[in-house]
Amino acid sequence: MDAAKGMNVMRVNPGKILDFVGKEENMIPADRLICIPTTSGTGSELSNWIVITDLEEGNKHPINVKNSMCEYAVLDPTLTVGLPATVTAETGLDVFSHAFEAYTSNLSNPMTDLICEKIMEDVIKWLPRAVKDGQDLEAREKMMVCASYGGFLLVDCLVHIGHCIAHEIGAQFHIPHGAACAYAFPPMVHHIADSQPEKVKYLGELLGVTFTEEENASEMAKKVAAAYCSFRDEIVGLPSINKYSPDKSKVNLEMANRILNDPITSMTPTAVSLEDVMVMLYCIFI
């Protein structure tokens, strides 16, 4: 769908799609696009963003196509029935990342918080069912709705450092986007815990964590990150990042600097430094 949205932009604009990275104001609006998702993940059918890979640089670039969004979306859960369990897991975890990052974004607000909370609750309930039995139409329908609302939240709240890391490691190591978001999730939780303790705690409660009410933010984040990893790895069944044989020599200051300079990093509720990014990367790869 990102490709379709990009092609729709180029239908009425000169040049190349990468010409609009950071220059979206120059984009001539394009209409008449219908999107029919066949996975439950990106929510691109309702979002105003596309992510384009620069094959020469090996980097991913988000582009805001707010004037060239999909006009109609058709959600048919039967189109997702044939998805393998691994793809179902990866795309579903992307939905979860959309909800939690929007929930803790600098643009979050009480209205979107309600939607985020419901999405997270439903993903925890329905994603394991969809992974276990791809023919479960009820689970497929619930996940498809969650994915679309996750895309809608990108319009209102964006995402933050988890997705910025995912864009980079996904491009460099050819990791599917949803899986990359899931690998970045635990260190992201640790990073924002001081500024978002109540929302991190709420996430933990959804994941079944019991708190003593005496934990500090760091201790609470450790419990929540562990519960998320259990959900991700044991219940949903995401494979280890080592499956992709990442070249860890690329996990360096150059990579961290690209992540830091991603414009969406500014949506992170806790300020992010180059050192912070390196710490998060080391948590993922080392």
Side-chain angles (χ1 to χ4, degrees):
M1 287 185 291
D2 278 20
K5 288 158 76 175
M7 286 185 277
N8 194 45
V9 168
M10 300 317 300
R11 181 172 58 83
V12 297
N13 284 274
K16 300 178 180 179
I17 189 64
L18 289 173
D19 295 340
F20 295 100
V21 175
K23 299 178 181 178
E24 290 89 348
E25 69 278 2
N26 298 329
M27 191 182 293
I28 299 169
D31 58 4
R32 294 183 288 174
L33 179 66
I34 299 172
C35 284
I36 306 174
T38 56
T39 66
S40 299
T42 66
S44 188
E45 67 274 12
L46 290 191
S47 84
N48 59 329
W49 290 89
I50 61 175
V51 178
I52 301 297
T53 301
D54 185 328
L55 296 177
E56 293 183 3
E57 294 181 5
N59 297 328
K60 289 188 176 184
H61 299 283
I63 303 174
N64 191 331
V65 293
K66 63 181 180 181
N67 292 322
S68 304
M69 293 171 63
C70 160
E71 290 189 8
Y72 294 94
V74 179
L75 305 185
D76 181 356
T78 64
L79 297 177
T80 67
V81 164
L83 284 178
T86 299
V87 178
T88 301
E90 291 167 348
T91 52
L93 290 168
D94 187 22
V95 177
F96 199 80
S97 289
H98 284 166
F100 185 71
E101 290 183 47
Y103 188 49
T104 52
S105 159
N106 285 333
L107 294 177
S108 66
N109 59 74
M111 183 174 69
T112 56
D113 282 355
L114 291 173
I115 301 172
C116 293
E117 289 171 357
K118 180 58 175 172
I119 291 173
M120 291 188 289
E121 178 185 343
D122 275 9
V123 171
I124 290 169
K125 178 178 180 180
W126 297 105
L127 179 57
R129 279 183 51 171
V131 170
K132 183 178 180 180
D133 178 7
Q135 302 291 321
D136 186 335
L137 272 181
E138 184 178 17
R140 290 295 195 183
E141 179 180 343
K142 296 289 187 181
M143 285 304 303
M144 184 162 264
V145 171
C146 284
S148 287
Y149 274 107
F152 163 75
L153 288 167
L154 297 179
V155 179
D156 282 310
C157 304
L158 295 176
V159 282
H160 52 76
I161 189 63
H163 262 67
C164 299
I165 292 172
H167 289 159
E168 183 64 26
I169 67 175
Q172 292 297 321
F173 305 127
H174 306 292
I175 300 172
H177 176 69
C181 288
Y183 298 134
F185 198 99
M188 177 264 294
V189 169
H190 278 282
H191 180 73
I192 68 171
D194 281 333
S195 65
Q196 300 288 314
E198 291 304 315
K199 289 186 174 182
V200 168
K201 181 181 179 183
Y202 184 82
L203 169 62
E205 291 169 343
L206 287 177
L207 290 167
V209 176
T210 300
F211 296 100
T212 65
E213 306 302 331
E214 296 180 1
E215 297 96 345
N216 60 33
S218 179
E219 292 167 339
M220 193 160 53
K222 185 176 181 179
K223 285 187 173 183
V224 174
Y228 173 81
C229 287
S230 177
F231 174 73
R232 179 192 70 186
D233 302 342
E234 298 169 23
I235 297 176
V236 176
L238 191 73
S240 165
I241 198 170
N242 292 326
K243 168 187 175 181
Y244 302 98
S245 302
D247 178 359
K248 295 180 181 178
S249 68
K250 292 183 178 181
V251 182
N252 52 31
L253 287 173
E254 183 179 351
M255 174 181 279
N257 201 50
R258 288 195 295 269
I259 293 168
L260 187 65
N261 289 319
D262 187 315
I264 303 175
T265 296
S266 63
M267 294 297 104
T268 311
T270 302
V272 182
S273 68
L274 192 62
E275 181 181 359
D276 293 328
V277 178
M278 286 302 299
V279 167
M280 285 185 269
L281 287 172
Y282 280 131
C283 286
I284 297 169
F285 291 103
I286 306 303

